[in-house]
Amino acid sequence: MPKGFLIDQDGVIYVENRLIPGADKFVELLQKENIPFTFMTNNSQRSPLDAVRKLEKLGIHVEEKNVYTSAMATAHFMGQQFPNGTAYVLGEGGLISSLHEHGFTLVQNDPDFVVVGEGINFTLEMVRKAIDFILGGSKFIATNLDPSPRKAGWNNLGIAGIVSMIEAATGKVAFTVGKPSPVMMRQARKHIGLATDEVTVIGDTLATDIQGGVQVGYNTILTLSGMSKKEDLNDFPFKPDMVVSSIADIKLPLPWWK
């Protein structure tokens, strides 16, 4: 029976533009053993090709099929709910291309959906239009609710901040597709053609990667090379199946593969 991985990127494979030691060797092992895997990222701004090129610069050679983004999950979900619909988008790059691929038309008036993703070119006028559309009946979707890293000089406000502003102004709560939503967790699994009990999630964040995996019944591995630290385990009512310092410490076969 096949086994495979859904692997977070930032904090597991790299931190900003620095490769986490041993991450490249782990990916090479998966490729050598023909173990299915995909990099599962909440970043809706980057396309799979963007992700492949970034990994290439770090010495990891994968294909676009090895990447699944919240933009892809969002566009797929919207296409199921409202085929050939229209959308007003606060987002860039990968989100826009994914929506086009799923038959959506981007419009400036009377959209079926208002969609919020990552971007650095938002204006208050765009936010105001989004608010008016939602008050007029447009459905409100967020690719994810990742917060700002709260670092001085950071040019991305974080989707959570933008969504909170719109929710406060409209009284409407966004439907969120990205991690830890079961919508994305299931779609990523289907992307690599595995059953629930064949999937292991590797992530650095308890509140997204690990929580998402637990919610849909996947095995989970927390790496301490990114956001979450060992002491954070006490703050959650669930725990990962394994905790490692970094992805380089994961040895195959895993205990639950027997």
Side-chain angles (χ1 to χ4, degrees):
M1 183 167 58
K3 307 288 185 180
F5 292 97
L6 301 178
I7 308 171
D8 186 31
Q9 288 181 289
D10 199 351
V12 175
I13 301 298
Y14 54 76
V15 174
E16 296 183 358
N17 293 311
R18 177 180 58 83
L19 180 72
I20 291 173
D24 52 344
K25 301 301 181 185
F26 183 80
V27 175
E28 287 174 8
L29 177 61
L30 299 184
Q31 293 169 325
K32 179 182 177 181
E33 300 295 330
N34 292 316
I35 296 172
F37 72 94
T38 194
F39 293 110
M40 180 177 59
T41 174
N42 259 359
N43 190 310
S44 64
Q45 190 173 10
R46 292 197 198 109
S47 68
L49 180 58
D50 293 331
V52 166
R53 286 174 173 167
K54 175 163 187 173
L55 290 167
E56 186 82 24
K57 291 178 180 178
L58 297 172
I60 296 176
H61 311 291
V62 296
E63 302 176 45
E64 290 181 61
K65 68 179 182 180
N66 297 120
V67 178
Y68 196 76
T69 73
S70 65
M72 297 165 66
T74 298
H76 182 271
F77 170 79
M78 290 168 57
Q80 286 184 318
Q81 297 295 314
F82 212 107
N84 301 312
T86 59
Y88 180 72
V89 179
L90 276 68
E92 300 167 9
L95 177 56
I96 291 173
S97 59
S98 290
L99 289 169
H100 281 311
E101 288 169 9
H102 282 80
F104 274 83
T105 301
L106 306 190
V107 297
Q108 295 295 314
N109 291 289
D110 195 27
D112 298 314
F113 290 93
V114 169
V115 189
V116 179
E118 277 91 357
I120 60 173
N121 295 313
F122 295 166
T123 66
L124 284 177
E125 176 61 19
M126 292 171 66
V127 172
R128 186 196 64 77
K129 289 184 70 173
I131 289 167
D132 283 349
F133 292 147
I134 293 166
L135 290 172
S138 299
K139 301 162 188 65
F140 187 17
I141 300 280
T143 60
N144 63 75
L145 288 180
D146 286 359
S148 167
R150 298 175 181 173
K151 295 180 181 178
W154 197 262
N155 64 0
N156 190 330
L157 296 177
I159 293 180
I162 301 296
V163 169
S164 293
M165 180 165 51
I166 296 173
E167 288 179 339
T170 61
K172 304 290 185 180
V173 177
F175 183 85
T176 307
V177 177
K179 299 181 293 184
S181 167
V183 176
M184 181 166 175
M185 303 304 292
R186 292 193 184 102
Q187 282 305 123
R189 169 182 64 77
K190 293 176 182 178
H191 183 69
I192 53 174
L194 296 179
T196 297
D197 60 357
E198 297 169 344
V199 174
T200 296
V201 174
I202 305 175
D204 71 306
T205 309
L206 284 158
T208 54
D209 308 300
I210 306 306
Q211 180 175 322
V214 169
Q215 287 178 161
V216 293
Y218 302 156
N219 288 108
T220 58
I221 300 175
L222 175 70
T223 67
L224 301 177
S225 51
M227 291 290 293
S228 294
K229 304 305 176 187
K230 200 165 188 177
E231 54 269 26
D232 296 333
L233 288 164
N234 296 324
D235 296 333
F236 292 84
F238 54 83
K239 60 181 181 180
D241 295 286
M242 182 183 293
V243 179
V244 294
S245 294
S246 80
I247 195 170
D249 298 318
I250 299 174
K251 307 301 180 186
L252 302 182
L254 296 173
W256 48 88
W257 283 10
K258 297 177 182 179

